[in-house]
Amino acid sequence: MDLARDHIKKIKFWTEQCREVRKASQKRIKKVIEDIAQECYDYMSTDEGKDKILNPPGRPPIMKVIWQPRQFAMEIHKRVLLYIEHFLKSSEVNEKFVTEKEEIESFYKKVSSELSDMEEGWTVIRIFEIECLTDTNAEMSKASIAGVVLATSPIWLPIAAISIALGVAFTGLTIAIAPVLVPTILILGRDTRKKKVIDEEYNNCLMSIRSLVSNELESTCGAFINKLIDRITLDLLPKRIKSLEKMIQQLLDNRRQILANQEPLCNLSRKVKVIEKSATEFKRRLPNGML
C-alpha cells in the first residue's frame, strides 16, 4: 500500500528529526548563554563600561560616596549588579532567547501540520479512531494544549529571578574581600583609598562575571527553554507520532486479515453459484408436474 509505505517513511524521518533538533537546540542555547556572558564581560572590561557601570544615572558618582570601607565596597558591588540586571533584562538579551523559543515552536508547528496531513490521508479511520483511540486522542489533545501554553509563555519571566541570585553571589564576594583591603587602605589618602578599593572590588567582580552570568542563565532562561525543547521533542511530538504509527499498523493488519479471508469467501461464492446453477438445471430437466 503506497500510502502506508510513504507515511511509515515520514514517521521514521520525523522521529529522527526530533532527536536531531533536540541536540541542535540544546547546543544553540548553550552558545547563546556563553555569548551573553562574554558580551557582559567585554563591556565591563572597557574603561567606558567601567565608568558608566560605577556611575549610573540617578546615583552620586562613586568617588562622592561616603567613605566607609565595607559599605563603600558593597556599593561597588551593588552598582555592578544593577548593570547586570539591566543588561540581562534588556530587549537584546530577551530577543536571543525569544528567537530560540520561536525556533523550537516553529518546529513543533511544522511537524504537527505534517502529522495532521498524514492523518487526513486516512479518511477511512474515523470509526476506528472513535472505537480504539479515544483515550489516546484525549491525552494528545491535553498535551497539545499544555505545549501551546508552554511555548507562548513570556521568556522574560525567569530573568526576574536573576537579580536575587546574583545579589547573593556578589554579597559573598564583598564579605570575603573587604577585610583584606582594610590594613592597606588605612595608610593611603581618602581618594587614593577609594580608587584602590574600586579597582580591587571591580576586578574581582569582573573575574567572576562570566561564570556567574552563565550559571544563572542556565538555571533560569536556559532551564526554561530546555524544558520546552524536551516537552516538544520527547513528549508531545513522539506521542503523536507513535499514535499515528500504531493506527497505521493496526489498519494494515486489518487489511491483511481481510485479504486473507477474501480467497475463502470467493471460493465459497463460486461454489454457491455452481450449486445454484446445478439446481436451476435440475429443475429445468424435471418432468412437468413434479415440482
Side-chain angles (χ1 to χ4, degrees):
M1 210 177 158
D2 292 339
L3 180 63
R5 283 194 295 269
D6 179 56
H7 283 187
I8 290 173
K9 183 178 180 180
K10 288 182 178 179
I11 283 173
K12 291 180 179 179
F13 171 76
W14 288 121
T15 299
E16 182 60 29
Q17 280 293 292
C18 283
R19 287 192 288 265
E20 292 181 2
V21 167
R22 180 172 181 266
K23 291 180 181 178
S25 298
Q26 289 175 332
K27 186 176 181 179
R28 283 200 312 272
I29 287 297
K30 184 177 178 62
K31 182 67 165 57
V32 165
I33 290 174
E34 290 175 351
D35 289 346
I36 291 173
Q38 185 62 44
E39 185 179 348
C40 185
Y41 174 84
D42 290 343
Y43 179 75
M44 287 184 63
S45 298
T46 65
D47 292 337
E48 179 185 4
K50 181 179 179 180
D51 182 65
K52 289 184 176 181
I53 290 169
L54 294 176
N55 300 284
R59 295 202 179 192
I62 191 66
M63 290 297 291
K64 298 294 184 181
V65 173
I66 296 174
W67 174 246
Q68 291 180 339
R70 286 179 180 274
Q71 287 77 2
F72 189 77
M74 290 183 67
E75 180 63 24
I76 295 169
H77 285 222
K78 288 178 182 178
R79 295 185 182 205
V80 172
L81 174 59
L82 182 64
Y83 157 70
I84 295 171
E85 289 179 13
H86 289 164
F87 173 69
L88 294 181
K89 293 179 182 179
S90 67
S91 59
E92 291 81 6
V93 170
N94 182 64
E95 184 61 31
K96 291 179 181 180
F97 286 104
V98 169
T99 298
E100 293 304 318
K101 179 182 78 72
E102 291 176 346
E103 191 78 23
I104 189 66
E105 186 181 29
S106 175
F107 174 72
Y108 174 73
K109 291 178 179 179
K110 178 181 179 180
V111 180
S112 292
S113 177
E114 179 76 15
L115 294 175
S116 293
D117 291 342
M118 292 166 66
E119 288 165 349
E120 289 174 5
W122 297 86
T123 55
V124 296
I125 66 170
R126 297 310 176 193
I127 296 177
F128 175 82
E129 287 179 340
I130 295 173
E131 294 178 348
C132 301
L133 298 178
T134 301
D135 293 340
T136 301
N137 287 340
E139 180 183 352
M140 284 307 303
S141 177
K142 294 176 182 177
S144 297
I145 292 172
V148 171
V149 171
L150 183 59
T152 55
S153 298
I155 190 64
W156 45 260
L157 287 178
I159 297 179
I162 292 176
S163 61
I164 298 175
L166 289 177
V168 172
F170 281 141
T171 299
L173 285 174
T174 301
I175 294 173
I177 295 169
V180 178
L181 292 174
V182 173
T184 303
I185 61 179
L186 288 177
I187 63 175
L188 301 174
R190 179 162 297 181
D191 285 351
T192 305
R193 296 177 192 177
K194 286 184 176 181
K195 289 180 181 179
K196 182 165 183 64
V197 172
I198 289 171
D199 289 341
E200 292 287 344
E201 295 292 304
Y202 188 86
N203 287 338
N204 274 284
C205 290
L206 180 62
M207 290 302 101
S208 62
I209 197 63
R210 277 178 295 198
S211 61
L212 214 58
V213 170
S214 292
N215 290 339
E216 294 310 317
L217 287 178
E218 285 172 2
S219 63
T220 51
C221 301
F224 176 86
I225 295 293
N226 282 321
K227 182 178 179 181
L228 176 60
I229 292 169
D230 286 348
R231 181 75 168 133
I232 288 173
T233 60
L234 296 180
D235 184 19
L236 295 179
L237 290 179
K239 277 184 178 179
R240 193 169 175 191
I241 290 172
K242 184 61 67 175
S243 176
L244 178 60
E245 185 178 26
K246 180 180 178 181
M247 179 183 67
I248 293 174
Q249 188 58 53
Q250 288 179 333
L251 287 172
L252 290 177
D253 290 343
N254 290 342
R255 181 175 180 273
R256 280 192 290 268
Q257 186 62 43
I258 291 172
L259 292 176
N261 294 333
Q262 188 174 10
E263 185 60 29
L265 290 174
C266 289
N267 291 336
L268 179 61
S269 177
R270 285 193 293 269
K271 289 179 181 179
V272 169
K273 288 181 179 180
V274 170
I275 293 173
E276 288 177 344
K277 183 178 180 181
S278 298
T280 300
E281 182 66 21
F282 178 72
K283 289 178 182 180
R284 188 179 64 79
R285 292 181 180 183
L286 286 175
N288 292 335
M290 293 193 64
L291 291 177

